[in-house]
Amino acid sequence: MTYCIGISLDDGLVLTSDSRTNAGIDHVSTYSKMHRCVTNPDRCLVIMSAGNLATTQGVIQQIRRDVLEGLPRNINTLNYLADVAEYLGDVLVNRIRKHTEQTGFVPDATLILGGQIQGRNPNIYMIYPQGNYITSSDDTPYLQIGESKYGKPVLDRFITRSASLEDAAICSLISMDSTMKSNASVGPPIEVLIYPRDQFNAPKHYKFDAEDPYLLDIRHEWANQLNQAFRSMPRLEVHAKPDGNLHTF
């Protein structure tokens, strides 16, 4: 399992992913889930993946091969992010279908595409194993794949389109830490990519190992602040009256 977050803001994009693919008792595997595509200077495209590792690696290899071979339809010839998302969906479906027909096993995977093409707005898309996709909106400026439920509440509370790139990056790290706290199948290294609008060749990429001082600071400070907030909650016995009508049988 894994966990990836894509956040679409007025000022650009924040993409965050873990690197764990297997977390058995005696075997932990790590692979990067974040792939920055080699593109023309007029665009920046990043793909994050969750699901079957062989499928996602095959998709990434096919995308690169299509560019190298100069096929008419590849990530550098399409003029809209939605068209790129549709292309990725087709590659993904073909990869899944091929191995399903050969083995009977369905190696599903899900992708998040984030980026910008010159003259268009930056945006994010989530591409399902069936090849269809959705995008973000003003009401839902972020998308998640993988083990998403534990890290969702903090995103719901703090992420809006007007949030700063730095605040969104910090929020994504808190979301990731909350997920790692509750699920051992998500783990470091954690990657964060900050993409400022219209800065095609200048995204900022960070990678945090398990004992990285900044990641530990985020974890400890968030835990301390949550503990203080909990201790300041109105006391039940002071502010609420029991009704005394417990049903008995």
Side-chain angles (χ1 to χ4, degrees):
M1 186 53 75
T2 192
Y3 179 39
C4 301
I5 315 156
I7 303 175
S8 180
L9 308 167
D10 294 337
D11 292 338
L13 306 173
V14 173
L15 307 174
T16 305
S17 65
D18 83 319
S19 301
R20 183 162 293 176
T21 60
N22 186 29
I25 295 175
D26 57 358
H27 181 68
V28 175
S29 298
T30 59
Y31 288 89
S32 175
K33 309 299 177 56
M34 185 180 294
H35 313 274
R36 184 180 175 189
C37 303
V38 177
T39 60
N40 292 336
D42 69 336
R43 62 194 63 201
C44 179
L45 302 175
V46 180
I47 299 169
M48 297 187 295
S49 59
N52 184 271
L53 181 61
T55 297
T56 58
Q57 288 184 345
V59 168
I60 297 302
Q61 290 170 3
Q62 184 64 54
I63 293 167
R64 291 172 177 165
R65 189 179 302 117
D66 289 352
V67 172
L68 290 173
E69 294 179 357
L71 296 189
R73 188 181 184 223
N74 66 64
I75 58 173
N76 281 328
T77 64
L78 300 168
N79 294 323
Y80 294 87
L81 273 180
D83 292 341
V84 177
E86 184 173 355
Y87 159 73
L88 293 179
D90 290 344
V91 175
L92 179 61
V93 167
N94 289 336
R95 190 75 185 181
I96 293 173
R97 182 184 296 122
K98 174 183 176 181
H99 290 280
T100 301
E101 291 174 350
Q102 290 176 349
T103 68
F105 169 64
V106 183
D108 280 352
T110 308
L111 308 175
I112 287 180
L113 166 70
Q116 183 181 13
I117 297 174
Q118 192 168 37
R120 322 289 182 198
N121 291 323
N123 211 343
I124 52 175
Y125 290 82
M126 179 161 66
I127 302 153
Y128 294 101
Q130 296 78 16
N132 56 336
Y133 58 86
I134 63 171
T135 187
S136 60
S137 68
D138 289 340
D139 294 329
T140 309
Y142 69 87
L143 299 172
Q144 305 165 280
I145 55 176
E147 193 60 67
S148 59
K149 55 184 177 293
Y150 302 107
K152 189 175 187 299
V154 65
L155 298 173
D156 285 337
R157 288 185 180 276
F158 296 113
I159 294 299
T160 64
R161 288 279 198 188
S162 61
S164 70
L165 291 171
E166 183 175 13
D167 284 351
I170 293 171
C171 192
S172 72
L173 285 171
I174 293 172
S175 175
M176 185 67 69
D177 184 70
S178 299
T179 304
M180 291 190 295
K181 179 75 172 177
S182 298
N183 193 309
S185 69
V186 176
I190 306 303
E191 295 185 73
V192 179
L193 185 141
I194 299 176
Y195 172 76
R197 173 188 287 268
D198 299 325
Q199 301 298 311
F200 300 103
N201 294 316
K204 300 177 182 177
H205 179 260
Y206 303 88
K207 188 172 184 178
F208 304 102
D209 294 324
E211 300 303 317
D212 186 279
Y214 180 72
L215 193 62
L216 294 177
D217 284 347
I218 289 286
R219 177 177 303 157
H220 294 155
E221 186 61 25
W222 181 245
N224 290 337
Q225 294 294 333
L226 283 179
N227 185 62
Q228 292 180 29
F230 178 75
R231 297 302 173 190
S232 67
M233 290 295 100
R235 297 292 90 187
L236 178 66
E237 293 187 355
V238 175
H239 296 276
K241 295 180 181 180
D243 64 12
N245 294 322
L246 178 65
H247 177 70
T248 60
F249 61 92

